[in-house]
Amino acid sequence: QQQTVDERARRQVFEQDWEEKFVTFREKCRQVEDDLRVRHEEELETLQSRLAAKVADARTGTAAGGRGERSGGYRKSAELRGMRRMQKILVRNKRFAEALDMTKAADALEQEEASRQREEQKRRNVQVLEELFQRQAVERDVFAREVAAEEDRLKEAKLCAYQAMFTAPASRTKRSQGAQPRSGHGSGDRFASYGGPRSVHGRDDAR
């Protein structure tokens, strides 16, 4: 009877110890997951600011471009530049009616080109954002798979520890052949030093 009571107490202590290990492991995982989420949010904010700055530079004409090749920040085509030069020549030659017609045609072409370039910039911005979202989704998936794999290793370590402590020697030898943890009894050490999935460490995500 006393032996049964002692073994029950040992089992209770064993379960408490391993429950603490699992709780600590999951707390670390939550912290790494929070860090990953914060980094992803910061990446998105940085990228959005950069894209907004590009749009602002284009609209104000501060983006680099050859002199006379941009209007409102949008690059002029060779055809439009030629029409503007002809417009000035007509004015210098006092051919004002023709200069007015050329001005109207050039203005219409410039609006068309600016509109087309704005749409192209929007498509590029969407593509860049989609690439960021895809990369972040992959990182989250890698994190989830690594957490699951690490928890499986921890469960295997618990099973081996249980067999070593409570199973009779003869049956323990037989059963342990099919339930060896991949990291051996070092699983506890691996768990103790668990710093989170590789996907959330040592990356330079500046884009």
Side-chain angles (χ1 to χ4, degrees):
Q1 181 67 28
Q2 182 61 40
Q3 184 177 0
T4 302
V5 172
D6 290 344
E7 183 171 345
R8 186 181 302 130
R10 289 173 59 213
R11 290 177 186 272
Q12 184 175 1
V13 171
F14 176 87
E15 292 296 336
Q16 289 175 347
D17 289 344
W18 277 95
E19 180 61 25
E20 289 178 3
K21 290 182 180 181
F22 277 97
V23 168
T24 302
F25 167 75
R26 287 161 184 157
E27 287 176 352
K28 289 182 179 180
C29 290
R30 280 194 293 271
Q31 181 59 56
V32 174
E33 185 176 20
D34 288 342
D35 293 343
L36 180 63
R37 176 181 51 77
V38 170
R39 180 167 64 81
H40 282 179
E41 291 174 352
E42 291 175 349
E43 286 176 347
L44 178 58
E45 291 176 2
T46 299
L47 180 58
Q48 287 176 327
S49 297
R50 195 176 71 193
L51 294 178
K54 283 185 178 182
V55 172
D57 288 346
R59 287 177 177 172
T60 59
T62 57
R67 183 176 179 182
E69 294 184 359
R70 286 182 179 263
S71 176
Y74 297 103
R75 184 172 298 277
K76 297 179 183 179
S77 66
E79 180 183 4
L80 179 58
R81 295 197 304 272
M83 293 174 70
R84 291 302 187 191
R85 285 193 297 269
M86 180 59 65
Q87 173 188 336
K88 293 177 182 179
I89 292 172
L90 291 171
V91 170
R92 283 198 301 268
N93 293 333
K94 297 183 180 181
R95 296 164 62 180
F96 300 116
E98 295 176 66
L100 180 59
D101 290 340
M102 182 62 66
T103 298
K104 291 179 180 180
D107 288 347
L109 179 59
E110 184 169 349
Q111 288 183 357
E112 178 184 341
E113 291 182 356
S115 177
R116 182 171 61 249
Q117 292 182 40
R118 280 194 297 268
E119 292 304 315
E120 290 174 355
Q121 184 62 53
K122 288 179 182 179
R123 286 194 293 271
R124 287 194 295 270
N125 289 354
V126 170
Q127 181 178 0
V128 170
L129 287 170
E130 287 179 347
E131 290 173 354
L132 175 65
F133 294 148
Q134 290 173 0
R135 179 175 60 77
Q136 290 181 344
V138 169
E139 289 186 358
R140 289 191 296 270
D141 181 64
V142 170
F143 171 79
R145 286 188 281 109
E146 290 188 355
V147 167
E150 186 68 17
E151 186 162 357
D152 286 343
R153 285 189 286 269
L154 196 57
K155 290 176 180 178
E156 289 182 5
K158 178 184 177 182
L159 176 60
C160 285
Y162 181 91
Q163 291 174 339
M165 184 174 293
F166 300 110
T167 306
S171 59
R172 179 169 68 243
T173 301
K174 182 178 179 180
R175 292 176 58 190
S176 62
Q177 292 177 354
Q180 290 294 330
R182 280 166 287 180
S183 54
H185 287 87
S187 294
D189 296 336
R190 179 186 178 92
F191 168 76
S193 61
Y194 182 76
R198 292 182 297 276
S199 62
V200 293
H201 291 286
R203 293 183 61 98
D204 180 6
D205 291 285
R207 291 172 65 89

